Every structure is written in C-alpha cells, then in structure tokens.
mmCIF file of all heavy atoms in Angstrom:
data_model
loop_
_atom_site.group_PDB
_atom_site.id
_atom_site.type_symbol
_atom_site.label_atom_id
_atom_site.label_comp_id
_atom_site.label_asym_id
_atom_site.label_seq_id
_atom_site.Cartn_x
_atom_site.Cartn_y
_atom_site.Cartn_z
ATOM 1 N N ASN V 1 0.829 -1.208 0.000
ATOM 2 C CA ASN V 1 0.000 0.000 0.000
ATOM 3 C C ASN V 1 0.862 1.256 0.000
ATOM 4 O O ASN V 1 0.451 2.294 -0.474
ATOM 5 C CB ASN V 1 -0.944 0.018 1.200
ATOM 6 C CG ASN V 1 -2.102 -0.934 1.017
ATOM 7 O OD1 ASN V 1 -2.447 -1.314 -0.088
ATOM 8 N ND2 ASN V 1 -2.689 -1.338 2.125
ATOM 9 N N GLY V 2 2.060 1.171 0.549
ATOM 10 C CA GLY V 2 3.035 2.246 0.429
ATOM 11 C C GLY V 2 2.916 3.341 1.472
ATOM 12 O O GLY V 2 2.091 3.292 2.376
ATOM 13 N N PHE V 3 3.794 4.351 1.281
ATOM 14 C CA PHE V 3 3.917 5.458 2.224
ATOM 15 C C PHE V 3 4.114 6.750 1.445
ATOM 16 O O PHE V 3 4.813 6.769 0.441
ATOM 17 C CB PHE V 3 5.131 5.248 3.141
ATOM 18 C CG PHE V 3 5.062 3.972 3.930
ATOM 19 C CD1 PHE V 3 5.540 2.796 3.389
ATOM 20 C CD2 PHE V 3 4.501 3.961 5.186
ATOM 21 C CE1 PHE V 3 5.460 1.613 4.103
ATOM 22 C CE2 PHE V 3 4.419 2.782 5.908
ATOM 23 C CZ PHE V 3 4.904 1.611 5.370
ATOM 24 N N ALA V 4 3.530 7.839 1.935
ATOM 25 C CA ALA V 4 3.731 9.162 1.329
ATOM 26 C C ALA V 4 3.831 10.187 2.454
ATOM 27 O O ALA V 4 2.960 10.259 3.313
ATOM 28 C CB ALA V 4 2.589 9.516 0.387
ATOM 29 N N PHE V 5 4.918 10.963 2.440
ATOM 30 C CA PHE V 5 5.153 11.970 3.460
ATOM 31 C C PHE V 5 5.407 13.310 2.783
ATOM 32 O O PHE V 5 6.078 13.367 1.764
ATOM 33 C CB PHE V 5 6.376 11.616 4.313
ATOM 34 C CG PHE V 5 6.312 10.242 4.921
ATOM 35 C CD1 PHE V 5 7.005 9.192 4.348
ATOM 36 C CD2 PHE V 5 5.547 10.007 6.051
ATOM 37 C CE1 PHE V 5 6.949 7.921 4.893
ATOM 38 C CE2 PHE V 5 5.487 8.734 6.604
ATOM 39 C CZ PHE V 5 6.188 7.689 6.029
ATOM 40 N N THR V 6 4.910 14.384 3.374
ATOM 41 C CA THR V 6 5.174 15.711 2.841
ATOM 42 C C THR V 6 6.565 16.176 3.259
ATOM 43 O O THR V 6 7.353 16.578 2.423
ATOM 44 C CB THR V 6 4.115 16.725 3.315
ATOM 45 O OG1 THR V 6 2.833 16.239 2.916
ATOM 46 C CG2 THR V 6 4.347 18.087 2.699
ATOM 47 N N PHE V 7 6.864 16.116 4.554
ATOM 48 C CA PHE V 7 8.209 16.456 5.016
ATOM 49 C C PHE V 7 8.479 15.778 6.347
ATOM 50 O O PHE V 7 7.582 15.297 7.014
ATOM 51 C CB PHE V 7 8.429 17.968 5.105
ATOM 52 C CG PHE V 7 7.530 18.674 6.078
ATOM 53 C CD1 PHE V 7 7.907 18.838 7.399
ATOM 54 C CD2 PHE V 7 6.308 19.185 5.667
ATOM 55 C CE1 PHE V 7 7.084 19.495 8.288
ATOM 56 C CE2 PHE V 7 5.475 19.840 6.555
ATOM 57 C CZ PHE V 7 5.864 20.002 7.866
ATOM 58 N N GLY V 8 9.756 15.743 6.714
ATOM 59 C CA GLY V 8 10.147 15.136 7.975
ATOM 60 C C GLY V 8 11.305 14.183 7.784
ATOM 61 O O GLY V 8 11.962 14.168 6.739
ATOM 62 N N ASP V 9 11.542 13.360 8.798
ATOM 63 C CA ASP V 9 12.623 12.384 8.787
ATOM 64 C C ASP V 9 12.064 11.001 9.127
ATOM 65 O O ASP V 9 12.420 10.416 10.159
ATOM 66 C CB ASP V 9 13.714 12.780 9.799
ATOM 67 C CG ASP V 9 14.340 14.125 9.479
ATOM 68 O OD1 ASP V 9 14.339 14.504 8.300
ATOM 69 O OD2 ASP V 9 14.832 14.784 10.408
ATOM 70 N N PRO V 10 11.184 10.461 8.291
ATOM 71 C CA PRO V 10 10.560 9.180 8.615
ATOM 72 C C PRO V 10 11.511 7.991 8.397
ATOM 73 O O PRO V 10 12.439 8.053 7.602
ATOM 74 C CB PRO V 10 9.389 9.106 7.635
ATOM 75 C CG PRO V 10 9.848 9.892 6.457
ATOM 76 C CD PRO V 10 10.682 11.010 7.041
ATOM 77 N N VAL V 11 11.240 6.916 9.127
ATOM 78 C CA VAL V 11 11.948 5.647 8.969
ATOM 79 C C VAL V 11 10.903 4.593 8.631
ATOM 80 O O VAL V 11 9.934 4.419 9.370
ATOM 81 C CB VAL V 11 12.703 5.256 10.260
ATOM 82 C CG1 VAL V 11 13.350 3.882 10.102
ATOM 83 C CG2 VAL V 11 13.737 6.304 10.625
ATOM 84 N N VAL V 12 11.090 3.908 7.502
ATOM 85 C CA VAL V 12 10.211 2.814 7.108
ATOM 86 C C VAL V 12 11.002 1.526 7.319
ATOM 87 O O VAL V 12 11.972 1.264 6.614
ATOM 88 C CB VAL V 12 9.749 2.945 5.638
ATOM 89 C CG1 VAL V 12 8.907 1.746 5.236
ATOM 90 C CG2 VAL V 12 8.979 4.243 5.443
ATOM 91 N N ASP V 13 10.588 0.747 8.315
ATOM 92 C CA ASP V 13 11.305 -0.465 8.701
ATOM 93 C C ASP V 13 10.604 -1.682 8.105
ATOM 94 O O ASP V 13 9.524 -2.073 8.546
ATOM 95 C CB ASP V 13 11.366 -0.568 10.224
ATOM 96 C CG ASP V 13 12.222 -1.721 10.709
ATOM 97 O OD1 ASP V 13 12.651 -2.546 9.882
ATOM 98 O OD2 ASP V 13 12.451 -1.801 11.924
ATOM 99 N N LEU V 14 11.230 -2.279 7.095
ATOM 100 C CA LEU V 14 10.690 -3.465 6.432
ATOM 101 C C LEU V 14 11.390 -4.743 6.905
ATOM 102 O O LEU V 14 11.170 -5.810 6.349
ATOM 103 C CB LEU V 14 10.841 -3.333 4.917
ATOM 104 C CG LEU V 14 10.204 -2.096 4.289
ATOM 105 C CD1 LEU V 14 10.574 -1.995 2.819
ATOM 106 C CD2 LEU V 14 8.695 -2.106 4.460
ATOM 107 N N SER V 15 12.222 -4.634 7.933
ATOM 108 C CA SER V 15 13.030 -5.775 8.369
ATOM 109 C C SER V 15 12.195 -6.897 8.978
ATOM 110 O O SER V 15 12.639 -8.042 9.012
ATOM 111 C CB SER V 15 14.097 -5.324 9.369
ATOM 112 O OG SER V 15 13.502 -4.841 10.556
ATOM 113 N N ARG V 16 10.994 -6.613 9.434
ATOM 114 C CA ARG V 16 10.128 -7.643 10.022
ATOM 115 C C ARG V 16 9.042 -8.092 9.052
ATOM 116 O O ARG V 16 8.085 -8.760 9.454
ATOM 117 C CB ARG V 16 9.507 -7.111 11.305
ATOM 118 C CG ARG V 16 10.550 -6.844 12.359
ATOM 119 C CD ARG V 16 9.929 -6.521 13.690
ATOM 120 N NE ARG V 16 10.985 -6.189 14.628
ATOM 121 C CZ ARG V 16 10.993 -5.100 15.367
ATOM 122 N NH1 ARG V 16 10.010 -4.237 15.300
ATOM 123 N NH2 ARG V 16 11.990 -4.876 16.199
ATOM 124 N N LEU V 17 9.186 -7.730 7.809
ATOM 125 C CA LEU V 17 8.208 -8.077 6.784
ATOM 126 C C LEU V 17 8.230 -9.581 6.529
ATOM 127 O O LEU V 17 9.287 -10.165 6.300
ATOM 128 C CB LEU V 17 8.539 -7.311 5.500
ATOM 129 C CG LEU V 17 7.528 -7.318 4.378
ATOM 130 C CD1 LEU V 17 6.198 -6.747 4.834
ATOM 131 C CD2 LEU V 17 8.060 -6.507 3.220
ATOM 132 N N ASP V 18 7.067 -10.230 6.572
ATOM 133 C CA ASP V 18 6.969 -11.671 6.337
ATOM 134 C C ASP V 18 6.947 -11.917 4.833
ATOM 135 O O ASP V 18 5.936 -11.712 4.168
ATOM 136 C CB ASP V 18 5.709 -12.229 6.994
ATOM 137 C CG ASP V 18 5.553 -13.723 6.781
ATOM 138 O OD1 ASP V 18 6.543 -14.387 6.387
ATOM 139 O OD2 ASP V 18 4.433 -14.231 7.007
ATOM 140 N N LEU V 19 8.085 -12.351 4.278
ATOM 141 C CA LEU V 19 8.214 -12.580 2.837
ATOM 142 C C LEU V 19 8.148 -14.068 2.486
ATOM 143 O O LEU V 19 8.442 -14.445 1.357
ATOM 144 C CB LEU V 19 9.538 -11.981 2.351
ATOM 145 C CG LEU V 19 9.657 -10.469 2.531
ATOM 146 C CD1 LEU V 19 11.078 -10.009 2.237
ATOM 147 C CD2 LEU V 19 8.662 -9.746 1.648
ATOM 148 N N SER V 20 7.725 -14.909 3.435
ATOM 149 C CA SER V 20 7.700 -16.362 3.206
ATOM 150 C C SER V 20 6.645 -16.787 2.199
ATOM 151 O O SER V 20 6.774 -17.835 1.571
ATOM 152 C CB SER V 20 7.487 -17.096 4.530
ATOM 153 O OG SER V 20 6.238 -16.735 5.094
ATOM 154 N N THR V 21 5.603 -15.992 2.004
ATOM 155 C CA THR V 21 4.517 -16.364 1.089
ATOM 156 C C THR V 21 4.617 -15.673 -0.269
ATOM 157 O O THR V 21 3.706 -15.779 -1.071
ATOM 158 C CB THR V 21 3.161 -16.008 1.724
ATOM 159 O OG1 THR V 21 3.122 -14.600 1.982
ATOM 160 C CG2 THR V 21 2.944 -16.778 3.019
ATOM 161 N N VAL V 22 5.717 -14.967 -0.519
ATOM 162 C CA VAL V 22 5.863 -14.227 -1.777
ATOM 163 C C VAL V 22 6.083 -15.211 -2.921
ATOM 164 O O VAL V 22 6.911 -16.111 -2.829
ATOM 165 C CB VAL V 22 7.033 -13.229 -1.687
ATOM 166 C CG1 VAL V 22 7.258 -12.546 -3.021
ATOM 167 C CG2 VAL V 22 6.763 -12.213 -0.601
ATOM 168 N N GLY V 23 5.326 -15.030 -4.013
ATOM 169 C CA GLY V 23 5.457 -15.894 -5.183
ATOM 170 C C GLY V 23 6.507 -15.365 -6.143
ATOM 171 O O GLY V 23 7.564 -14.875 -5.736
ATOM 172 N N GLU V 24 6.208 -15.451 -7.438
ATOM 173 C CA GLU V 24 7.146 -15.022 -8.473
ATOM 174 C C GLU V 24 7.306 -13.506 -8.525
ATOM 175 O O GLU V 24 8.373 -12.995 -8.825
ATOM 176 C CB GLU V 24 6.685 -15.521 -9.840
ATOM 177 C CG GLU V 24 6.793 -17.010 -10.013
ATOM 178 C CD GLU V 24 6.349 -17.445 -11.399
ATOM 179 O OE1 GLU V 24 6.361 -16.605 -12.325
ATOM 180 O OE2 GLU V 24 5.993 -18.610 -11.550
ATOM 181 N N ASP V 25 6.213 -12.792 -8.279
ATOM 182 C CA ASP V 25 6.256 -11.330 -8.353
ATOM 183 C C ASP V 25 6.803 -10.749 -7.054
ATOM 184 O O ASP V 25 6.423 -11.181 -5.960
ATOM 185 C CB ASP V 25 4.858 -10.765 -8.613
ATOM 186 C CG ASP V 25 4.317 -11.187 -9.974
ATOM 187 O OD1 ASP V 25 5.128 -11.342 -10.898
ATOM 188 O OD2 ASP V 25 3.086 -11.361 -10.082
ATOM 189 N N PRO V 26 7.669 -9.749 -7.167
ATOM 190 C CA PRO V 26 8.222 -9.151 -5.943
ATOM 191 C C PRO V 26 7.180 -8.314 -5.207
ATOM 192 O O PRO V 26 6.185 -7.882 -5.786
ATOM 193 C CB PRO V 26 9.355 -8.266 -6.469
ATOM 194 C CG PRO V 26 8.949 -7.917 -7.852
ATOM 195 C CD PRO V 26 8.201 -9.121 -8.371
ATOM 196 N N VAL V 27 7.436 -8.090 -3.942
ATOM 197 C CA VAL V 27 6.629 -7.171 -3.145
ATOM 198 C C VAL V 27 7.096 -5.763 -3.513
ATOM 199 O O VAL V 27 8.261 -5.423 -3.317
ATOM 200 C CB VAL V 27 6.822 -7.435 -1.635
ATOM 201 C CG1 VAL V 27 6.067 -6.389 -0.822
ATOM 202 C CG2 VAL V 27 6.377 -8.835 -1.271
ATOM 203 N N VAL V 28 6.192 -4.959 -4.076
ATOM 204 C CA VAL V 28 6.531 -3.602 -4.517
ATOM 205 C C VAL V 28 6.097 -2.614 -3.437
ATOM 206 O O VAL V 28 4.923 -2.562 -3.069
ATOM 207 C CB VAL V 28 5.850 -3.268 -5.863
ATOM 208 C CG1 VAL V 28 6.181 -1.852 -6.299
ATOM 209 C CG2 VAL V 28 6.244 -4.275 -6.923
ATOM 210 N N VAL V 29 7.076 -1.850 -2.939
ATOM 211 C CA VAL V 29 6.811 -0.904 -1.851
ATOM 212 C C VAL V 29 7.090 0.516 -2.339
ATOM 213 O O VAL V 29 8.246 0.914 -2.484
ATOM 214 C CB VAL V 29 7.696 -1.206 -0.622
ATOM 215 C CG1 VAL V 29 7.360 -0.247 0.516
ATOM 216 C CG2 VAL V 29 7.539 -2.653 -0.178
ATOM 217 N N PRO V 30 6.024 1.314 -2.615
ATOM 218 C CA PRO V 30 6.247 2.715 -2.992
ATOM 219 C C PRO V 30 6.414 3.587 -1.749
ATOM 220 O O PRO V 30 5.652 3.474 -0.793
ATOM 221 C CB PRO V 30 4.969 3.082 -3.756
ATOM 222 C CG PRO V 30 3.926 2.146 -3.229
ATOM 223 C CD PRO V 30 4.637 0.905 -2.765
ATOM 224 N N VAL V 31 7.440 4.446 -1.771
ATOM 225 C CA VAL V 31 7.681 5.376 -0.669
ATOM 226 C C VAL V 31 7.965 6.740 -1.286
ATOM 227 O O VAL V 31 8.898 6.880 -2.079
ATOM 228 C CB VAL V 31 8.874 4.940 0.212
ATOM 229 C CG1 VAL V 31 9.034 5.899 1.387
ATOM 230 C CG2 VAL V 31 8.713 3.511 0.709
ATOM 231 N N ASP V 32 7.164 7.740 -0.929
ATOM 232 C CA ASP V 32 7.317 9.094 -1.456
ATOM 233 C C ASP V 32 7.566 10.067 -0.316
ATOM 234 O O ASP V 32 6.886 10.026 0.704
ATOM 235 C CB ASP V 32 6.055 9.537 -2.201
ATOM 236 C CG ASP V 32 5.769 8.690 -3.430
ATOM 237 O OD1 ASP V 32 6.731 8.251 -4.073
ATOM 238 O OD2 ASP V 32 4.582 8.471 -3.738
#
C-alpha cells in the first residue's frame, strides 16, 4: 500500500516483513 510523506525524517522499517509467502512477483513498496 506504500507510504507518502510531505516532510520530515521518517523511517520505514521493512526488516520484520513476512516474505515467506511471496510468489514469483516481488513485493513492490512505494515510498514518497
């Protein structure tokens, strides 16, 4: 679903993302 920020110093932590069920297509993460 992604992330969009106007300004600031955000941290997007994907290190705990459960990727065990990912098929052929990658998980696409939009960050703006």
Side-chain angles (χ1 to χ4, degrees):
N1 285 338
F3 301 87
F5 306 100
T6 303
F7 62 90
D9 299 333
V11 176
V12 176
D13 186 352
L14 303 173
S15 65
R16 295 189 184 129
L17 191 59
D18 180 16
L19 298 171
S20 62
T21 60
V22 175
E24 291 181 22
D25 295 328
V27 175
V28 179
V29 182
V31 183
D32 296 326

